[in-house]
Amino acid sequence: MSNKLNRVWRKEMYPPNNGNKRKSVSTRILLVALLAFGLSKCAAGQSLQVSSPNGVLRVVFSLQDGAPHYSVTRFGHEMIKPSRLGLVLRNAPSFRDGLRIVASETRSVDEIWTQPWGEKKDIRDHHNELRIVLARTGAPAGKMTVVFRVFDDGVGFRYEVADQPGFSEFEIMDELTEFALTGDHTAWWIGGYWWNRYEYLYRQSPVSVIDTASTTITMQTGDGLYISIHEAALTDYASMTLARKGEHTFEADLVPWSDGVKVKTAAPMKTPWRTIQIADTPGELITSYLVLNLNEPNKLSDVTWIKPGKYVGIWWEMHLQTSTWASGDKHGATTANTKRYIDFAAKCGFDGVLVEGWNIGWDGDWVENSELFSFTKAYDDFDIEGLSKYAAKKGVRLIGHNETSGGIANYERQMKDGFDLYQRLGVRAVKTGYVSHGQNIKRIDENGVEQREWQHGQYMVRHYRKAVEEAARHQIMLDVHESIHDTGIRRTYPNMMTREGARGQEYNAWANDGGNPPDHTVVIPFTRLLASPMDFTPGIFDLLFEEARPDNRVQTTLAKQLALYVVIYSPLHMAADLPENYEARPEPFQFIIDVPTDWQDTQVLHASIGNYLTIVRKDRNSQDWYLGSVTDEAGRVLQAPVYFLQPNMKYVAEIYGDGANADWQGNPYDMEITRQLVENTGSLTLRLAPGGGQAIRFRPATDEDIQKLSPAAD
Ligand code: NOJ
């Protein structure tokens, strides 16, 4: 913290508070400080500050010659140097300088809320909040509030513009928010505005080589701390990217409309939260729920119809090019083929069958011809009514598929009719898709002229929200591909289940670069997956598919495919391979049948970005625990204490590990499935082959297990 900030008025608003509340809500307004006139005298250097509940993090807000700034310290050491705040507006006066503090207010929150589904059931929201009302000193008048929430694991802040004369409708031309880092940290990042949206391999580099980055961006500081910058509660605003300025300062760069405006809005309005997660270890970033905590509570009154689960689908065969989305001889979405998948799903106890290519519009260049898609009319060889009944009889549901190719007007025209139809047919989940490159989303403007928009600007943020709300009205869960980045809205709309927004399994089928290298899945848990669940579609068992796609393959061992079900969180997980490939390997497939998608708790045992990761999760509906451990191209031996199991209880560990000679390149199928008794005082040695992994189910042991698996007495 600079001396200048120390000199001016400041006050320790929150003493450390480590009170560990049980499941109760206690929101306390601690102190309301009205500073109306007192501070205006020293307007050149007003400051206020707020600390995290444990006192470790501190945010200092200051006005430097009337321009708002903030900084963040940890144990008194700078994490974010004094950084600009502010909004540049059109059709209303800006909030960039010439400001003074007219009021401030603080409160402390400590409550536990329950996720209807998720990676952890009960989430603690424990933070201290500081609200600062700023007024323009010159004419025309105007007020803006900056709100900070400081948690033990990071900081969120946003701007609010209250209803007031002169702000009925205005445009945000620039958001001045900066993140002035303290050094040239190592970053894991992908670029902003790259043509293929968020579907890139993450790069590892010093911050100083980045031009513009998407969020989440994760960094390691010189002294070994971890920082991740993102946003929370993106609602009717533009997505944020980060433009580098100087050596290692980022500045918010909002994705613009085609006319250059960043955000079209009206008072009262709130921006999304800008989030900075800070942790001692990379694993703590994974178990930080700061982004969810900054979202509004569930808005859906009835959530009983929202059900996590597993699905199979007519999907991988199109990516392997053994069948087509388009009609004709190789059409995948036929009645007969769908029945085959329904039978298979029913046999395995899976919940859904995704069918892509069921609807008219896939013939020809579907990426270009988005307006030809119908979301209600099926191809002649797909009996949608009969198949829905067939699925219902077998206890399975069809999963709808709406590929829009970015034709938003076409989709929005049909969305309600489509969802009406799916609801009537008993469809409970729809996968949407927005294949379109760069700034190529088609929007029809007020004059009927077609404009091309970015996938992540305000126009699309509005569209994705509209789709979630319309789906909720029809009791439909969404799985969104080519999505905007998630900012935690699943808390507010729990039917927003999962999304893509990164390179998933499909790249292994056809990417020109050969697919996802072994380290991809030990980078995305620390970057993209910090924002939300991902529909990665794990579980490919035919790893080489030499006949279908000789130039591609999956760059993992078989055991690693199983481990991904635990490592990557998704409430809807796909068993992505073809039924015949699972039928050929029933023993490892048992793990996919068993693994749940809804968890009571999640803990990280080992974490090193780009190298390895071990996660354990407790099933929400049984006493079982599951472990997933994955490595990059290096083989590793990791020791896993099983302290998380219930004490004084014997469990069977069903271990699906790499075999002694396994190696993703030369011997990917070598696998050993073993069983062993364990107790929470014990520990397991995880031997991960190069490009490999290990998956374990821990279930309470029966008497028979104990007899069979106990080492024989001499
Ligand atoms: C891209 C999606 O990610 C993929 O899952 C889907 O099969 C195709 N688009 C077609 O919609």
Side-chain angles (χ1 to χ4, degrees):
M1 191 193 320
S2 73
N3 285 338
K4 188 169 175 196
L5 294 182
N6 271 326
R7 259 184 282 123
V8 295
W9 183 90
R10 67 192 178 88
K11 185 166 157 55
E12 179 60 61
M13 290 194 173
Y14 297 103
N17 172 7
N18 294 320
N20 198 6
K21 294 264 157 39
R22 305 285 320 267
K23 191 168 177 173
S24 70
V25 177
S26 93
T27 302
R28 284 165 294 141
I29 307 282
L30 282 188
L31 173 68
V32 177
L34 284 175
L35 306 168
F37 302 108
L39 286 180
S40 59
K41 287 189 203 110
C42 50
Q46 293 177 318
S47 87
L48 293 167
Q49 58 178 278
V50 54
S51 297
S52 57
N54 66 3
V56 170
L57 294 179
R58 177 174 302 171
V59 168
V60 177
F61 172 87
S62 65
L63 284 174
Q64 297 181 10
D65 298 326
H69 287 71
Y70 77 101
S71 62
V72 181
T73 62
R74 185 173 185 278
F75 287 110
H77 297 288
E78 262 180 348
M79 292 297 292
I80 302 287
K81 291 161 164 303
S83 301
R84 279 295 300 260
L85 295 167
L87 297 175
V88 177
L89 308 184
R90 191 161 76 181
N91 299 330
S94 294
F95 298 103
R96 68 188 315 162
D97 44 29
L99 302 174
R100 68 191 168 93
I101 298 172
V102 289
S104 75
E105 182 179 310
T106 63
R107 56 177 204 142
S108 178
V109 169
D110 188 1
E111 64 182 45
I112 289 174
W113 58 277
T114 299
Q115 299 207 79
W117 51 264
E119 65 281 63
K120 184 177 169 73
K121 188 171 180 204
D122 295 321
I123 304 238
R124 185 175 184 193
D125 176 359
H126 192 194
H127 68 261
N128 293 326
E129 179 182 287
L130 168 64
R131 303 175 65 83
I132 304 159
V133 184
L134 300 170
R136 290 168 49 82
T137 47
K143 281 187 193 162
M144 170 180 83
T145 303
V146 184
V147 186
F148 291 95
R149 287 193 184 164
V150 189
F151 301 78
D152 292 344
D153 55 355
V155 172
F157 59 91
R158 70 167 12 160
Y159 307 94
E160 297 180 0
V161 179
D163 205 6
Q164 58 194 299
F167 288 82
S168 52
E169 270 189 18
F170 61 94
E171 288 162 351
I172 297 178
M173 304 307 288
D174 206 1
E175 185 183 311
L176 301 176
T177 308
E178 288 177 353
F179 303 86
L181 305 170
T182 55
D184 196 5
H185 305 330
T186 300
W188 288 266
W189 61 283
I190 55 173
Y193 303 100
W194 286 357
W195 70 269
N196 203 14
R197 308 165 303 268
Y198 297 129
E199 296 175 24
Y200 289 90
L201 296 173
Y202 277 77
R203 297 188 181 177
Q204 179 183 345
S205 79
V207 163
S208 57
V209 311
I210 299 173
D211 172 25
T212 306
S214 291
T215 66
T216 50
I217 178 174
T218 298
M219 291 166 279
Q220 183 180 13
T221 68
D223 41 11
L225 294 172
Y226 293 85
I227 304 178
S228 188
I229 299 178
H230 189 43
E231 58 180 321
L234 172 59
T235 304
D236 203 3
Y237 203 80
S239 302
M240 178 177 73
T241 68
L242 297 175
R244 186 172 54 83
K245 178 178 167 192
E247 185 73 353
H248 39 67
T249 291
F250 284 123
E251 139 179 273
D253 179 347
L254 304 181
V255 176
W257 288 75
S258 48
D259 61 8
V261 172
K262 304 283 174 71
V263 179
K264 305 183 183 198
T265 187
M269 65 85 62
K270 293 172 178 173
T271 70
W273 296 92
R274 277 60 190 95
T275 62
I276 309 168
Q277 282 159 275
I278 301 172
D280 280 296
T281 64
E284 286 164 51
L285 292 176
I286 294 175
T287 51
S288 158
Y289 301 100
L290 181 142
V291 169
L292 281 177
N293 275 329
L294 288 168
N295 274 268
E296 284 177 32
N298 177 11
K299 283 195 175 164
L300 307 180
S301 41
D302 172 21
V303 291
T304 51
W305 51 274
I306 301 177
K307 295 214 170 11
K310 282 171 292 195
Y311 71 99
V312 288
I314 301 178
W315 176 79
W316 187 237
E317 52 188 86
M318 277 85 96
H319 288 269
L320 291 181
Q321 287 184 331
T322 54
S323 69
T324 57
W325 285 279
S327 60
D329 291 352
K330 285 172 73 182
H331 189 208
T334 63
T335 301
N337 199 23
T338 309
K339 279 192 174 161
R340 186 169 74 94
Y341 276 85
I342 293 172
D343 292 346
F344 181 70
K347 198 169 81 187
C348 305
F350 294 156
D351 306 271
V353 175
L354 167 72
V355 188
E356 297 201 357
W358 67 274
N359 57 322
I360 285 169
W362 291 93
D363 300 318
D365 185 350
W366 57 267
V367 179
E368 273 309 303
N369 301 333
S370 56
E371 61 289 350
L372 299 184
F373 274 120
S374 163
F375 299 103
T376 51
K377 291 200 186 74
Y379 279 120
D380 284 346
D381 54 354
F382 184 77
D383 173 12
I384 191 167
E385 300 275 345
L387 282 166
S388 310
K389 289 189 194 124
Y390 185 78
K393 244 190 359 222
K394 298 241 164 181
V396 172
R397 289 175 188 271
L398 290 180
I399 297 181
H401 184 234
N402 290 174
E403 173 57 66
T404 68
S405 304
I408 300 307
N410 181 46
Y411 189 40
E412 289 193 354
R413 257 195 313 273
Q414 300 183 54
M415 199 153 66
K416 182 172 175 310
D417 290 349
F419 288 163
D420 279 345
L421 171 70
Y422 314 144
Q423 188 176 21
R424 180 173 69 72
L425 295 176
V427 168
R428 276 286 162 83
V430 172
K431 171 178 170 181
T432 55
Y434 296 85
V435 174
S436 139
H437 295 148
Q439 188 179 7
N440 208 18
I441 294 285
K442 295 172 201 148
R443 172 175 71 93
I444 308 298
D445 72 12
E446 316 67 64
N447 306 315
V449 179
E450 188 178 283
Q451 305 292 347
R452 299 286 169 130
E453 302 292 342
W454 287 102
Q455 197 130 13
H456 307 111
Q458 186 183 16
Y459 173 66
M460 283 304 280
V461 172
R462 283 178 178 169
H463 166 75
Y464 288 112
R465 181 59 60 100
K466 221 182 271 178
V468 172
E469 289 175 351
E470 190 64 58
R473 278 192 282 276
H474 290 83
Q475 302 205 326
I476 283 175
M477 302 177 269
L478 284 188
D479 166 6
V480 183
H481 279 228
E482 298 80 35
S483 54
I484 45 169
H485 58 197
D486 195 2
T487 58
I489 72 150
R490 65 182 159 128
R491 178 173 179 192
T492 315
Y493 293 97
N495 64 317
M496 179 58 249
M497 306 298 283
T498 188
R499 63 179 80 203
E500 193 186 37
R503 276 175 64 131
Q505 182 88 272
E506 65 195 34
Y507 278 77
N508 294 326
W510 42 253
N512 288 335
D513 62 9
N516 301 326
D519 68 353
H520 182 57
T521 44
V522 281
V523 175
I524 56 172
F526 302 98
T527 48
R528 155 69 183 82
L529 300 188
L530 298 183
S532 75
M534 177 179 177
D535 187 31
F536 183 85
T537 66
I540 296 303
F541 272 27
D542 176 13
L543 297 161
L544 305 179
F545 39 83
E546 280 151 318
E547 277 179 29
R549 290 276 200 174
D551 297 334
N552 284 80
R553 58 159 296 182
V554 177
Q555 299 182 34
T556 71
T557 63
L558 187 58
K560 184 168 173 180
Q561 285 296 309
L562 299 183
L564 292 177
Y565 283 90
V566 183
V567 166
I568 295 176
Y569 176 60
S570 183
L572 302 177
H573 251 323
M574 186 176 201
D577 211 337
L578 314 175
E580 55 269 34
N581 292 332
Y582 292 132
E583 274 157 359
R585 295 180 190 274
E587 288 181 353
F589 184 52
Q590 187 59 44
F591 184 82
I592 303 183
I593 293 180
D594 292 338
V595 69
T597 60
D598 191 14
W599 305 101
Q600 179 78 26
D601 194 17
T602 285
Q603 295 179 30
V604 177
L605 297 191
H606 314 110
S608 172
I609 307 180
N611 298 312
Y612 56 85
L613 174 62
T614 307
I615 291 188
V616 290
R617 304 192 196 264
K618 158 112 186 12
D619 181 14
R620 203 185 266 212
N621 301 304
S622 75
Q623 303 218 54
D624 292 0
W625 281 82
Y626 285 78
L627 175 150
S629 185
V630 289
T631 180
D632 62 354
E633 62 288 339
R636 299 177 197 274
V637 180
L638 302 172
Q639 210 54 42
V642 294
Y643 64 86
F644 47 86
L645 299 175
Q646 201 168 300
N648 306 317
M649 205 166 129
K650 287 190 169 38
Y651 287 79
V652 177
E654 299 176 351
I655 302 171
Y656 299 76
D658 290 319
N661 300 310
D663 185 310
W664 76 270
Q665 270 177 304
N667 199 5
Y669 296 109
D670 185 22
M671 186 170 189
E672 263 174 34
I673 303 176
T674 55
R675 285 181 168 63
Q676 155 178 352
L677 281 183
V678 289
E679 286 189 65
N680 84 324
T681 46
S683 144
L684 292 172
T685 303
L686 312 178
R687 187 185 168 288
L688 312 178
Q694 186 161 141
I696 305 179
R697 175 190 182 193
F698 298 92
R699 59 168 176 80
T702 61
D703 290 346
E704 200 188 326
D705 292 321
I706 294 170
Q707 259 184 6
K708 251 204 249 161
L709 295 172
S710 294
D714 287 334

